Amino acid sequence: MALLLALAITAITLVSMYFFAAKTWWMPPFISEYGAAYDSHFMLTMTAMGIIFFFAQLGLAYVIFRYRDQGKKAGYSHGNNTMEVLWTSATAVLFVGLVLFGQHIWAQAHLGPIDPNALRVELWGQQFVWYARYPGPDGQFGRTLPELMKESAGNPLGLDPDDPTSKDDVVMPVMAVPVNRQVELILRSKDVIHNFFVRELRLKQDAVPGLETRLHFTASQIGNYEIPCSELCGLGHYQMRSFLQVKSPEEFEQWLRENAPPQ
Ligand SMILES: [Cu+2]
């Protein structure tokens, strides 16, 4: 029985490692400037964890077989403090090391220089939809007031009609951006924490109520990419998704014009 269990554990280990190594289920190709660095960091993490996983599982299988029931009385072991300290510190060093090694990718997307020509877009999360807001021809986001937020009145973000800069703001349930132009994304939330995640951009960031979280990216492939909310935000979380539509500059301008509010 012990041998069977040990063999089963070994088999499960090898099969699951095969699927990771063969990249059977993998992320789609990346379309942002962070993709290459992100993927190589991801591979580094996966390789390090894969090696540890392999030896830990083999160790488990060995121990199951080695200490199988042989009809003897079980003995008590208090463990080994030196080993405890050793592997706990090794784990800590490994995790902190990986974070330090990868933090430049995060810093680049959040704190790196922004092109003055970048397109500014706000993306608002609410239970359970996304709204993208563009500042319109005046280049300024108008004032929003929580008491004016009313979906049935066609004003989900509460644009203040008394603020002239809000009149040309474009609010859409999908987010379109032009290809090969930097986008400064400002994440906001109306209620709880949501999470912006586009696999192809290799970007994932919380949208927190009361905060404007800024990050920037340049999409290099025209296409339609899913934005699933990636923070468990309530009962309707499963249906909270929108799309990032990467368009040619001409198509993007046309899209923006077509969806501009009547003046
Ligand atoms: Cu959400």
Side-chain angles (χ1 to χ4, degrees):
M1 193 62 202
L3 180 64
L4 213 62
L5 183 56
L7 287 176
I9 287 174
T10 311
I12 291 169
T13 306
L14 293 177
V15 169
S16 48
M17 286 191 74
Y18 164 77
F19 284 116
F20 279 105
K23 297 191 173 182
T24 314
W25 299 288
W26 204 247
M27 293 176 286
F30 62 80
I31 60 158
S32 86
E33 67 271 46
Y34 311 115
Y38 179 94
D39 282 9
S40 83
H41 188 70
F42 197 81
M43 267 326 282
L44 175 74
T45 309
M46 289 294 277
T47 310
M49 295 309 133
I51 292 169
I52 295 167
F53 174 72
F54 178 71
F55 285 109
Q57 292 297 100
L58 281 199
L60 178 64
Y62 168 75
V63 167
I64 286 173
F65 179 69
R66 170 80 177 71
Y67 297 102
R68 66 192 181 280
D69 182 13
Q70 289 171 319
K72 285 188 251 167
K73 197 166 180 273
Y76 170 74
S77 160
H78 189 67
N80 185 325
N81 284 343
T82 318
M83 292 290 273
E84 258 331 312
V85 170
L86 207 70
W87 62 52
T88 308
S89 353
T91 311
V93 167
L94 186 68
F95 273 80
V96 174
L98 282 171
V99 169
L100 289 178
F101 199 69
Q103 56 87 26
H104 70 277
I105 312 174
W106 181 92
Q108 221 185 331
H110 287 78
L111 310 169
I114 291 177
D115 186 345
N117 199 26
L119 171 80
R120 284 193 307 148
V121 187
E122 275 188 359
L123 189 67
W124 291 64
Q126 80 167 59
Q127 291 171 318
F128 297 99
V129 282
W130 292 104
Y131 285 109
R133 175 159 77 131
Y134 299 80
D138 68 357
Q140 278 182 287
F141 289 112
R143 186 169 46 228
T144 57
L145 297 172
E147 56 270 30
L148 295 177
M149 288 177 178
K150 206 167 178 193
E151 309 226 58
S152 55
N155 192 5
L157 302 185
L159 297 181
D160 179 3
D162 295 336
D163 178 6
T165 61
S166 80
K167 289 205 166 34
D168 62 349
D169 287 10
V170 180
V171 177
M172 290 295 289
V174 291
M175 179 173 149
V177 300
V179 71
N180 292 329
R181 178 172 159 199
Q182 197 181 61
V183 175
E184 186 188 12
L185 182 65
I186 304 153
L187 291 171
R188 305 183 66 173
S189 169
K190 280 168 70 172
D191 37 42
V192 298
I193 300 176
H194 300 278
N195 186 286
F196 169 81
F197 180 38
V198 177
R199 297 168 302 168
E200 291 83 353
L201 294 176
R202 303 290 194 269
L203 282 179
K204 191 170 189 293
Q205 176 63 52
D206 274 353
V208 183
L211 287 185
E212 291 187 4
T213 310
R214 285 160 196 270
L215 59 158
H216 51 86
F217 65 85
T218 308
S220 60
Q221 279 302 321
I222 290 175
N224 209 16
Y225 308 98
E226 191 186 12
I227 312 175
C229 175
S230 303
E231 187 72 63
L232 191 54
C233 58
L235 273 181
H237 164 68
Y238 71 95
Q239 59 176 10
M240 181 168 170
R241 73 204 274 254
S242 181
F243 284 89
L244 169 72
Q245 300 177 344
V246 181
K247 298 172 181 287
S248 69
E250 302 76 35
E251 278 182 14
F252 170 72
E253 290 303 330
Q254 192 190 343
W255 179 87
L256 210 53
R257 270 197 308 275
E258 279 169 6
N259 294 301
Q263 294 298 309

